[in-house]
Amino acid sequence: ETGVTQTPRHLVMGMTNKKSLKCEQHLGHNAMYWYKQSAKKPLELMFVYSLEERVENNSVPSRFSPECPNSSHLFLHLHTLQPEDSALYLCASSPGVGYEQYFGPGTRLTVT
Amino acid sequence: QKEVEQNSGPLSVPEGAIASLNCTYSDRGSQSFFWYRQYSGKSPELIMSIYSNGDKEDGRFTAQLNKASQYVSLLIRDSQPSDSATYLCAVNRDDKIIFGKGTRLHILP
């Protein structure tokens, strides 16, 4: 595997489900990010981790819970989501905070 | 004033012509600038980064930065139908990357 990978690529979940999105970067980077991109809307930064420490949390609802166990892995735990949470969730990594970011392919999430 | 502004488009350019995409930013202290390409339904892909005033060329792409006027542009020479995508401008402000909303580019065959 190279670059930034994300699993699953597609996810359909009910509002009462609990699921997790996984991101892994193979670039030796120190910073990782979660973004949300809704249809025809700009990228929304959700969380930023630098060396496994959360450095930014952009007023994201608590039904989204990030986890960064090491500098190569990032998770986004989902529970009791709403239909408006349906979107493309993108993971990115960069050599450090503020450097150019490299994106994974994204997880297309549909909440029913 | 928005931090990073781009014309949403669509910008229509004939195949083989030069496509010019523009971006302005509000924080004069911004230090680094990036252009990303995003195809519909796909994730953003880094095209170029630029850090100092002037031009930076990479193949058919040229990024231009003018810090005094607070704008950064991307020129695509010999435009191809495969260049049709949304182009995102991103600016580093205090170690935070701010993305613009993107410009949709349509290359007319």
Side-chain angles (χ1 to χ4, degrees):
Chain A
E1 293 279 13
T2 58
V4 181
T5 58
Q6 290 185 243
T7 55
R9 296 291 305 277
H10 300 273
L11 178 62
V12 179
M13 59 186 288
M15 290 191 288
T16 58
N17 290 160
K18 289 184 180 181
K19 296 287 184 183
S20 295
L21 309 184
K22 178 183 176 182
C23 175
E24 184 173 359
Q25 60 97 0
H26 308 268
L27 300 169
H29 289 167
N30 291 323
M32 297 188 76
Y33 311 78
W34 279 117
Y35 286 89
K36 174 185 178 183
Q37 190 173 40
S38 304
K40 298 185 179 180
K41 288 188 178 180
L43 286 168
E44 297 176 50
L45 179 63
M46 300 176 73
F47 302 104
V48 181
Y49 277 83
S50 176
L51 295 171
E52 301 133 52
E53 180 178 333
R54 190 189 308 181
V55 297
E56 188 157 346
N57 174 357
N58 276 0
S59 302
V60 178
S62 59
R63 56 186 183 269
F64 296 91
S65 175
E67 179 189 0
C68 188
N70 56 62
S71 59
S72 298
H73 293 86
L74 186 64
F75 295 89
L76 187 63
H77 304 297
L78 316 171
H79 65 99
T80 59
L81 294 189
Q82 304 299 310
E84 59 265 28
D85 297 322
S86 298
L88 180 67
Y89 288 84
L90 293 160
C91 174
S93 72
S94 65
V97 174
Y99 287 78
E100 66 277 6
Q101 297 178 11
Y102 295 84
F103 287 83
T107 295
R108 175 70 61 186
L109 173 66
T110 302
V111 181
T112 61
Chain B
Q1 182 184 10
K2 296 178 182 176
E3 294 195 67
V4 179
E5 290 203 63
Q6 296 181 257
N7 189 318
S8 61
L11 174 65
S12 295
V13 174
E15 183 176 356
I18 296 175
S20 178
L21 303 159
N22 300 312
C23 171
T24 59
Y25 58 95
S26 60
D27 188 343
R28 191 170 287 277
S30 299
Q31 292 297 319
S32 44
F33 308 85
F34 312 96
W35 281 101
Y36 288 81
R37 176 177 63 199
Q38 186 175 23
Y39 293 113
S40 180
K42 302 295 185 181
S43 60
E45 173 191 9
L46 180 68
I47 298 175
M48 293 188 70
S49 54
I50 186 166
Y51 304 96
S52 54
N53 277 330
D55 294 1
K56 180 181 178 182
E57 187 175 318
D58 183 0
R60 294 187 298 113
F61 299 98
T62 299
Q64 298 175 319
L65 175 61
N66 185 323
K67 290 187 178 180
S69 300
Q70 294 176 239
Y71 82 79
V72 57
S73 61
L74 180 71
L75 302 179
I76 307 176
R77 289 182 299 282
D78 188 23
S79 297
Q80 303 296 311
S82 58
D83 295 326
S84 296
T86 296
Y87 289 79
L88 305 172
C89 171
V91 175
N92 179 340
R93 176 183 63 80
D94 297 330
D95 280 346
K96 181 176 179 179
I97 302 297
I98 312 295
F99 282 86
K101 293 186 176 182
T103 298
R104 281 191 299 133
L105 175 65
H106 182 210
I107 305 301
L108 303 170

